[in-house]
Amino acid sequence: MIVDERMITFINSLETENSEILEAIEREALDSYVPIIRKEMQSFLKVLLTIQKPMSILEVGTAVGFSALLMSENAPDGCEITTIENYEKRIAIARENFRRAGRESQITLIEGDAFEVMKDLAGCYDFIFMDAAKGQYIHYLPEVMRLLKEGGTLVSDNVLQDGDIIESRFAVERRNRTIHSRMREYLYELKHHEMLVTSILPLGDGVAVSVKKRSIKDAK
């Protein structure tokens, strides 16, 4: 736990409900032990999308489609969302959820390994949401930087690993040490990349918000 549990409970008690379809999908996901973004992260995404007003969104890690649908409801009309998922069982559920929500024309789901899929993407995105395999974030970053527009926002979820990120690698369970070291490397790169301005927040399980700097030529 990164933030005091009583504080999180209090903050979440103030939340208003999502749309009927999102509430249903969230219940189904939790009943099936499928992880979805936490309540506080849901609110944070809504605020960011309201501020940024992106017209093109790339999501890395669809799961059952909850976060893609939440973003579709809070982005401007006409925003197009591309989402990538590699787990076959969840792909079918996500497609069905997009159909239930009437968002098939707005959300494009691409099946496959995110690293390979991103190599084949040619467009530029205003907003990229990273919520896939945590040990792969550092490997995805070069393609993410290529695909993110100047002035665009990168949101990376679950970056503090329930607080384990501050521990020595020897204090972390052996099976989690590779992810631990790669996430530390990823966060360092986000904070020191010459083309990014990044803030790391103890929200949910940790979120990093990065903005790609505009070139000097474009800034004039």
Side-chain angles (χ1 to χ4, degrees):
M1 184 62 62
I2 300 170
V3 180
D4 182 81
E5 189 170 0
R6 291 176 60 211
M7 182 63 73
I8 294 173
T9 301
F10 170 70
I11 292 171
N12 289 343
S13 74
L14 301 174
E15 289 293 344
T16 55
E17 287 192 347
N18 288 314
S19 65
E20 186 175 339
I21 184 64
L22 280 178
E23 290 291 327
I25 291 170
E26 182 171 20
R27 287 194 299 271
E28 293 163 7
L30 294 176
D31 288 344
S32 303
Y33 303 101
V34 175
I36 60 173
I37 56 175
R38 304 184 189 194
K39 286 291 187 184
E40 53 270 39
M41 187 60 192
Q42 294 174 30
S43 292
F44 189 59
L45 264 185
K46 291 177 186 179
V47 171
L48 282 180
L49 293 169
T50 301
I51 294 171
Q52 295 293 95
K53 298 178 174 58
M55 295 307 295
S56 56
I57 297 174
L58 174 64
E59 178 185 49
V60 185
T62 313
V64 295
F66 178 85
S67 52
L69 285 171
L70 182 139
M71 291 190 289
S72 74
E73 291 186 2
N74 291 277
D77 291 340
C79 173
E80 295 184 355
I81 299 174
T82 300
T83 183
I84 305 169
E85 179 58 50
N86 196 36
Y87 188 28
E88 189 173 342
K89 290 183 179 179
R90 291 180 181 169
I91 288 170
I93 298 172
R95 290 195 188 281
E96 174 60 15
N97 286 336
F98 298 155
R99 186 200 64 76
R100 290 165 63 191
R103 298 279 180 173
E104 309 105 305
S105 62
Q106 183 183 9
I107 302 172
T108 300
L109 195 162
I110 302 177
E111 302 178 27
D113 177 80
F115 185 69
E116 297 301 324
V117 170
M118 283 191 286
K119 285 182 179 179
D120 292 332
L121 295 178
C124 285
Y125 297 89
D126 301 315
F127 193 98
I128 297 180
F129 182 48
M130 289 267 280
D131 190 23
K134 308 307 172 278
Q136 300 303 314
Y137 281 16
I138 187 65
H139 300 311
Y140 296 156
L141 189 57
E143 289 302 319
V144 166
M145 291 300 299
R146 179 181 68 84
L147 293 168
L148 186 63
K149 288 183 179 178
E150 291 185 359
T153 300
L154 165 64
V155 176
S156 306
D157 199 15
N158 301 312
V159 297
L160 297 183
Q161 302 178 321
D162 283 323
D164 280 353
I165 198 72
I166 63 173
E167 303 294 342
S168 159
R169 71 183 302 271
F170 299 106
V172 176
E173 290 186 32
R174 185 181 296 274
R175 60 189 176 91
N176 293 328
R177 286 178 184 173
T178 298
I179 295 175
H180 177 268
S181 60
R182 287 181 180 177
M183 185 57 75
R184 280 194 165 200
E185 182 183 357
Y186 179 69
L187 293 177
Y188 183 90
E189 187 65 21
L190 290 184
K191 291 294 291 185
H192 292 82
H193 197 293
E194 63 180 5
M195 287 300 295
L196 293 175
V197 177
T198 297
S199 178
I200 301 169
L201 306 172
L203 175 79
D205 191 22
V207 57
V209 181
S210 308
V211 176
K212 187 175 180 179
K213 297 177 184 178
R214 298 183 185 277
S215 64
I216 295 176
K217 178 181 178 181
D218 290 342
K220 291 180 179 180

